[in-house]
Amino acid sequence: MKKNILFIISTLRCGGAEHALVSLLNVFDYEKYNVDLLILCQEGMFYRKEIPEQVNVIQPDLSISAVLEPTPQNMLKCLKSRRLIYVWMHIKRIIDKMLHHKDIQNNFWSNYWEKYGQYVHPLKKEYDASIGYLEGLANYFCIDKVNAKCKIGWMHTNYADSAQNKKMDEKYFPQFNYMVTMSEPATKTLKKEFPEISDQIYTIHNILDKKEVIHLAHESVEEIKKEDEEVILVSVGNVLPAKGYDMAVEACEKLVHSGLKVKWYVVGRKDKEELINEKIKNYSLQDKFIMLGMKKNPYKYMNAADIYVQCSRYEGFSTTIREAKMLCKPIVATDCQGINDQIENGINGTLVGMNAESICQGILKLANNKKIMEAYTTKLMEDSKNETDMNVELKKLYDLIG
């Protein structure tokens, strides 16, 4: 008899965890498992069409939508059904966001769930395993609102570097049968933060289909037209403070000032783009630092790069670095956890300090010495032969499910 599995995620917007889940679902064993997927917030369903047809996507009931996604349409439904408590919660939420101090803002959704999660109805179906596939709401919902024999929580970031609500997590994490992170350093950090559950914490690397990545990478790219002697830089990642695009713009200005003929393309959701756009304008880099927005296939842009650049301030495990390695691209990246466990400085890539000058110098070192770039590519091609089979990571998850 097939086991019934539930995956829970906050959104399917353009993001690393969302992409990792879709990749996992596309190689899951549907002969052994019936899989339901609950997407708590329906806005911006970037990866919706990528979900395989074998997955039963659950439509959130009004209590979930009203609490977690209080759009005007959902509030109107609440008014029509006389569920006025949800309308009041929405008003209170707006006031909280306006008045509360920074710490509350950083942990807004966890605090909000603590206050109002009680008004979300539990799911009626019983599962053999329920998986909260993202830190925060998905994990809290998994514990509070799902009846399952086995519950698995997932962290897609390094706990110490991200603004998590530890007081709340100390209450929730021990209730999971297992906690999963996507890298050994992230697992080590989580065990240090929660030593009492260290035996329940496991590492499962994000599932990536290497053949599919390489296949998609060879699609044509219309937006990038390389001129003679021009160096093409590409970065992939949503425009958020953690991704360091403010440093990238400053580094780009230094590259131009050095005389390097360069264009730097960014692929990713534009969440916090105002500061970046202002910097681009101030440095007159409109035709040098080009933000392309979200793309269904980021691999073809990565493949068009002479150098792949990642300027992150922190990462749990940088999937984009792993993808760039699969494509054997010369890499310049900031020296932070989640990256430095994948890049050996001077061997298969260049690690730099977390500032514009270091990023600039790292890029110049490669751009001015093609032999280094060729050596990195050769090393990455050799390493790719030893890439971990995704079935090894899948088996780890199947073993936890039981």
Side-chain angles (χ1 to χ4, degrees), residues 298-312:
Y299 307 123
K300 63 181 182 180
Y301 298 93
M302 298 171 82
N303 202 40
D306 295 307
I307 302 170
Y308 180 78
V309 186
Q310 192 82 25
C311 301
S312 301

Side-chain angles (χ1 to χ4, degrees), residues 106-163:
N106 285 341
N107 296 304
F108 177 79
W109 279 113
S110 56
N111 286 297
Y112 190 74
W113 181 262
E114 194 168 31
K115 289 181 181 179
Y116 304 119
Q118 60 183 308
Y119 298 104
V120 173
H121 300 160
L123 300 185
K124 294 179 181 179
K125 184 175 178 178
E126 182 177 346
Y127 291 92
D128 293 291
S130 175
I131 301 166
Y133 198 73
L134 187 61
E135 59 272 5
L137 286 176
N139 280 338
Y140 302 150
F141 188 97
C142 183
I143 291 297
D144 287 343
K145 305 299 176 181
V146 183
N147 184 3
K149 297 173 184 175
C150 174
K151 294 189 177 184
I152 301 171
W154 219 287
M155 290 292 302
H156 281 273
T157 186
N158 185 286
Y159 196 90
D161 293 329
S162 56

Side-chain angles (χ1 to χ4, degrees), residues 148-305:
K149 297 173 184 175
C150 174
K151 294 189 177 184
I152 301 171
W154 219 287
M155 290 292 302
H156 281 273
T157 186
N158 185 286
Y159 196 90
D161 293 329
S162 56
Q164 303 299 315
N165 187 335
K166 188 171 182 181
K167 181 179 179 182
M168 194 155 169
D169 291 339
E170 285 174 337
K171 179 173 71 173
Y172 277 86
F173 285 4
Q175 298 182 65
F176 284 107
N177 297 89
Y178 308 105
M179 288 294 301
V180 172
T181 81
M182 65 297 154
S183 74
E184 285 76 10
T187 293
K188 184 177 179 180
T189 298
L190 197 62
K191 287 183 175 183
K192 183 178 179 181
E193 295 284 339
F194 298 91
E196 68 280 6
I197 61 165
S198 61
D199 291 343
Q200 299 163 236
I201 301 172
Y202 292 82
T203 303
I204 300 178
H205 298 120
N206 288 343
I207 301 296
L208 281 175
D209 187 337
K210 182 180 175 181
K211 291 182 180 178
E212 183 69 6
V213 169
I214 293 173
H215 171 72
L216 291 171
H218 286 92
E219 291 185 1
S220 61
V221 181
E222 296 181 358
E223 296 95 327
I224 299 178
K225 304 295 183 184
K226 183 175 178 177
E227 299 177 8
D228 291 341
E229 299 182 2
E230 190 173 57
V231 176
I232 300 297
L233 310 177
V234 173
S235 299
V236 176
N238 294 331
V239 183
L240 297 165
K243 299 303 180 183
Y245 288 121
D246 54 328
M247 295 186 292
V249 176
E250 293 173 13
C252 186
E253 190 273 336
K254 292 176 181 293
L255 290 170
V256 172
H257 186 72
S258 76
L260 186 69
K261 194 174 181 181
V262 63
K263 279 203 177 91
W264 194 328
Y265 295 89
V266 173
V267 177
R269 190 177 71 234
K270 302 176 183 179
D271 279 2
K272 304 286 185 181
E273 62 176 322
E274 295 82 6
L275 174 63
I276 306 305
N277 284 335
E278 185 179 342
K279 279 182 172 289
I280 292 171
K281 185 177 180 180
N282 289 343
Y283 289 128
S284 299
L285 294 173
Q286 290 91 332
D287 63 339
K288 300 294 183 184
F289 196 92
I290 302 159
M291 295 168 64
L292 298 174
M294 295 188 296
K295 299 293 179 183
K296 286 286 186 183
N297 177 10
Y299 307 123
K300 63 181 182 180
Y301 298 93
M302 298 171 82
N303 202 40

